[in-house]
Amino acid sequence: MTPEETRARLLYRDGLMLVLDKPAGVAVHRGPKGGSSLEDDFAALRFGLPRNPALAHRLDRETAGCLILGRHHKALETLGLLFKQGKIGKTYWAIVAGAPEGEEGAIDLPLGRLDDKRGWWMKVDPNGQKALTLWQVKGRGIWRGAPIAWLELKPQTGRTHQLRVHCAALGWPILGDATYGTRAELPLQLLARKVVVPLAKSKPPIEVEAPAPPHMLETLRECGYSEASRSA
């Protein structure tokens, strides 16, 4: 991405934070092996401040949608505390393979590392950290001859790969997830759809939504999504 393309993906801006519409397939920061990342263009997001903004949290390389940046040190401290206290609301959209039973529920399965050689790969582990995800079916359909479902996911905890592992554990992995499901001929169908950030006690929380990305439109439409339902 170019600095101009990064700036064009800005969804929200104030004196404390920015919210970017992160594209799928782009790492948010440079990994141990190097390579390009979203951080490379953060200088284009200063908007008059002396230093670059910085990541307030992370999204997987394959995940699209709302990414929060703090514009300075004090803002990062505030946002970090809100994340730690679980006060920032996060809503995801996912297209999963299969047909979940029922229309909504909660996945309460603790997670731990798969093993020391798998880096960030995770597994359901009775001795792991508590992980809770609320889910609701927004639509169902058929894609390439098999059932799929459009889910709204609300993680109540922030574990690594939580949504991907939880969905796979219930028998409906997220489409395009080669790590926890079966590789499909499309990118990971996971969108960080919305964030709700209570930055000021005297003002309503800031709500920011990311649009449905192009690589998810086909499967979303198969499940009943349309432009008329984009704010649903």
Side-chain angles (χ1 to χ4, degrees), residues 202-215:
S202 59
K203 298 179 180 179
I206 297 161
E207 299 188 15
V208 186
E209 286 187 345
H215 71 276

Side-chain angles (χ1 to χ4, degrees), residues 51-94:
R51 296 180 181 176
N52 294 354
L55 297 163
H57 66 133
R58 305 287 191 271
L59 289 178
D60 294 343
R61 176 192 290 269
E62 299 91 348
T63 303
C66 293
L67 179 70
I68 300 174
L69 312 180
R71 300 194 64 193
H72 48 71
H73 183 69
K74 184 176 180 180
L76 285 166
E77 284 187 343
T78 299
L79 290 166
L81 184 60
L82 290 173
F83 271 110
K84 184 177 181 180
Q85 295 175 339
K87 293 183 177 180
I88 293 181
K90 294 173 287 183
T91 299
Y92 289 75
W93 281 0

Side-chain angles (χ1 to χ4, degrees), residues 17-217:
M17 75 172 187
L18 308 172
V19 181
L20 279 182
D21 179 14
K22 176 196 169 297
V26 178
V28 295
H29 59 84
R30 185 169 299 182
K33 296 182 180 179
S36 61
S37 72
L38 208 58
E39 280 187 328
D40 297 340
D41 296 327
F42 280 4
L45 302 174
R46 289 184 181 181
F47 299 108
L49 294 187
R51 296 180 181 176
N52 294 354
L55 297 163
H57 66 133
R58 305 287 191 271
L59 289 178
D60 294 343
R61 176 192 290 269
E62 299 91 348
T63 303
C66 293
L67 179 70
I68 300 174
L69 312 180
R71 300 194 64 193
H72 48 71
H73 183 69
K74 184 176 180 180
L76 285 166
E77 284 187 343
T78 299
L79 290 166
L81 184 60
L82 290 173
F83 271 110
K84 184 177 181 180
Q85 295 175 339
K87 293 183 177 180
I88 293 181
K90 294 173 287 183
T91 299
Y92 289 75
W93 281 0
I95 302 295
V96 300
E101 294 184 10
E103 296 301 310
E104 62 182 20
I107 308 172
D108 189 358
L109 295 171
L111 302 178
R113 291 193 184 280
L114 183 61
D115 58 51
D116 294 336
K117 299 178 182 179
R118 292 288 187 174
W120 293 101
W121 288 23
M122 306 294 283
K123 65 177 180 179
V124 173
D125 183 351
N127 298 315
Q129 293 181 303
K130 178 177 176 59
L132 176 63
T133 301
L134 307 182
W135 62 273
Q136 181 178 30
V137 176
K138 292 180 68 64
R140 299 175 186 267
I142 301 294
W143 187 74
R144 299 186 179 180
I148 60 173
W150 165 22
L151 301 186
E152 181 178 87
L153 303 170
K154 293 187 176 182
Q156 305 300 294
T157 49
R159 309 304 176 207
T160 300
H161 292 179
Q162 175 175 320
L163 302 181
R164 297 165 67 179
V165 178
H166 271 178
C167 287
L170 265 67
W172 17 273
I174 298 174
L175 278 182
D177 190 347
T179 301
Y180 302 105
T182 301
R183 182 178 294 278
E185 296 176 1
L186 76 176
L188 182 70
Q189 303 290 283
L190 181 62
L191 169 70
R193 169 64 173 173
K194 181 178 179 180
V195 290
V196 181
V197 187
L199 267 182
K201 294 181 179 179
S202 59
K203 298 179 180 179
I206 297 161
E207 299 188 15
V208 186
E209 286 187 345
H215 71 276
M216 289 181 63
L217 288 177

Side-chain angles (χ1 to χ4, degrees), residues 93 150 193 212 217 220-232:
W93 281 0
W150 165 22
R193 169 64 173 173
L217 288 177
L220 279 168
R221 287 168 179 158
E222 288 295 326
C223 293
Y225 172 84
S226 68
E227 289 302 304
S229 66
R230 65 184 183 275
S231 62

